[in-house]
Amino acid sequence: MKKDIPVFDGHNDTLLHLQDGVTSFYESLKDTHIDYYRAKEAGFAGGFFAAYTPSREQEEDRYNYMNENGYKFPLPDRITKEEALGFTHKLAAQLFRIETENPDKFRVVRNVKELKDSIDQGTMAGIFHIEGAECIDLSFDSLYVLYEAGLRSIGPVWSRSNDFGEGVPFCYPSTPDTGGGLTDKGIELIQHCNHLGIMIDTTHLNEKGFWDVAHATTAPIVATHSNVHAICPISRNLTDEQIQEIADSGGVIGINFAVNMLRADGKMETDVSMDEIIAHFRYIADFVGVDHVAFGSDFDGTSIPDILQDVSGTRKVMQALSEDGFTEEELEKIAYKNWVRVLENTWKD
Ligand SMILES: [Zn+2]
């Protein structure tokens, strides 16, 4: 394998670690999966940087909801628009701070040319993504303002419910068909996003919500950080029908490195083999084609396999994909070209 294929990634939560406004992306951040220099060393070309507003109360002890067969965690309460908008501003500001601290090293990209140029020139590229649309008011004014600021991707829900729809709880084993889908305002959100050219992420929607997006949207369907349900039957993963629908739309699935979404037994244990990781890429490539699978690490948002360690693990995954038989051209698609294609067909410029 050529050593230098850049990897563009579908999802990280690294902004949460910068929220104090002091911690810098250019420091050695020992407790995180990503900082600039480790990412650069790993060939990380950038990705979708999520603005996610955490729930107010700390989640209860998860072990209360686990038994020998699996788990079913209750979802946290809704959050208010005000707290979500305030926190989204805080995290978006950290994304812009990464750029202003070192504009020659990192760029917030707003169109396909900027994205392609960044990858070509080795400038790390960040896409402003909102995970859970609680900060968007029901007149959509904030959507238009945030778009002008650089917002180019949005997931209508994180797993907790909001005015736009119901999310999928974390259950194993379970289908993703766990409840109601988008509300009328959720459908309106899709229409506004299509109009502006904001990518819509179906990750964290339940199955009904997924199909509501699929029927409403005019853009390729995307799941930025979800895996294969046929391998790991957790509610967060995608059924074969959903994978087929994403492929038919020209969309893409970013493979999530969350251990409980990779492992067939759904356990939250980090001794996951490289074969178990590669199996999700291979399944989608064999089933619907290599054009529809990419990276969606969830770095800094989840527990990842020990074998990956941190962002440096992306190199190991690329090597393992190569050893699994993916050609150079296929590796380039998985690494970044699939994401670029989807954004070319989604963004307005
Ligand atoms: Zn997520």
Side-chain angles (χ1 to χ4, degrees), residues 87-114:
F87 202 77
T88 299
H89 285 162
K90 182 191 283 289
L91 293 193
Q94 303 323 314
L95 178 62
F96 301 134
R97 180 165 63 93
I98 299 174
E99 181 178 44
T100 52
E101 279 180 13
N102 258 313
D104 54 328
K105 290 188 168 65
F106 188 97
R107 180 178 199 184
V108 180
V109 295
R110 294 171 172 79
N111 60 52
V112 173
K113 183 175 186 310
E114 289 175 354

Side-chain angles (χ1 to χ4, degrees), residues 63-84:
Y63 289 96
N64 295 341
Y65 300 95
M66 298 171 80
N67 61 37
E68 67 277 14
N69 301 317
Y71 41 81
K72 184 177 197 305
F73 301 125
L75 288 173
D77 292 341
R78 291 176 179 234
I79 57 170
T80 67
K81 206 139 290 219
E82 291 66 31
E83 64 187 309

Side-chain angles (χ1 to χ4, degrees), residues 16 56 76 88 96 105 130 133 137 148 173 176 190 202 218 225 230 269 273 280 319 321 324 349:
L16 283 171
R56 246 160 299 157
T88 299
F96 301 134
K105 290 188 168 65
I130 289 177
D137 60 88
E148 285 301 320
I190 304 305
T202 64
T218 57
H225 56 300
E269 292 170 8
S273 71
H280 289 266
Q319 185 60 40
L321 289 168
D324 197 58
D349 58 357

Side-chain angles (χ1 to χ4, degrees), residues 11 13 52 131 158 170 201 203-204 224-225 236 256 298 301:
H11 190 88
D13 282 300
Y52 159 72
E131 183 173 30
W158 178 73
F170 298 84
D201 181 9
T203 299
H204 289 284
T224 60
H225 56 300
R236 272 280 283 105
N256 190 325
D298 213 355

